[in-house]
């Protein structure tokens, strides 16, 4: 591995010293992009500015997003979407543990 402090990138090498991955970090040190050096699609990650929680990631055609309850004292996860067809909703009833509801659309 090799880290570039000026570019906020890290390069991962295999045993033959060929580049496998290029990792990009933001100013806070959070991973924001993974670029494989092969035919695979890159991975992009988006974070919430206030909390630092990741809110979405995209790899090729697949996108996963997370939505948080902003009115609560603790920002709790209320929904997660995988692609455009699957939604996971989380409900909280007098507890901090979530109850998962799977909502599929066709």
């Amino acid at each position: 591995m090799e880290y570039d402090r000026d570019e906020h990138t890290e390069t991962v090498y295999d045993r033959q010293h060929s580049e496998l991955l290029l990792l990009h970090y933001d100013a806070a040190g959070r991973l924001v992009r993974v670029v494989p050096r092969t035919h695979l699609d890159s991975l992009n990650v988006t974070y919430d500015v206030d909390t630092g929680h990741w809110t979405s990631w995209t790899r090729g055609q697949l996108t996963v997003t997370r939505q948080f309850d902003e009115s609560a004292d603790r920002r709790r996860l209320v929904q997660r979407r995988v692609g455009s067809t699957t939604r996971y909703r989380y409900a909280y009833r007098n507890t901090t543990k979530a109850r998962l509801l799977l909502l599929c659309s066709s």
Side-chain angles (χ1 to χ4, degrees):
M1 296 180 121
E2 181 179 279
Y3 184 73
D4 184 338
R5 291 177 189 222
D6 297 326
E7 297 292 323
H8 300 289
T9 60
E10 187 171 19
T11 306
V12 179
Y13 298 96
D14 65 7
R15 290 182 183 180
Q16 288 77 33
H17 244 16
S18 299
E19 290 185 14
L20 291 176
L21 296 171
L22 182 61
L23 309 172
H24 295 265
Y25 299 92
D26 65 8
R30 298 175 298 206
L31 182 66
V32 293
R33 189 165 189 216
V34 177
V35 181
R37 295 299 190 192
T38 60
H39 65 281
L40 299 174
D41 292 325
S42 63
L43 172 73
N44 294 306
V45 183
T46 305
Y47 295 91
D48 181 277
V49 175
D50 297 325
T51 64
H53 294 299
W54 68 268
T55 55
S56 69
W57 63 260
T58 303
R59 182 170 181 237
Q61 298 295 318
L62 179 62
T63 298
V64 175
T65 59
R66 298 192 316 173
Q67 182 180 0
F68 294 89
D69 178 7
E70 296 186 24
S71 64
D73 291 339
R74 290 186 242 166
R75 292 180 42 113
R76 298 183 293 195
L77 180 64
V78 293
Q79 180 173 275
R80 181 171 48 118
R81 283 184 178 264
V82 178
S84 61
T85 59
T86 306
R87 282 191 312 175
Y88 299 91
R89 302 224 12 147
Y90 299 87
Y92 301 85
R93 290 191 183 159
N94 301 328
T95 181
T96 58
K97 293 184 178 181
R99 185 179 297 181
L100 176 64
L101 307 169
L102 176 61
L103 305 172
C104 296
S105 59
S106 49

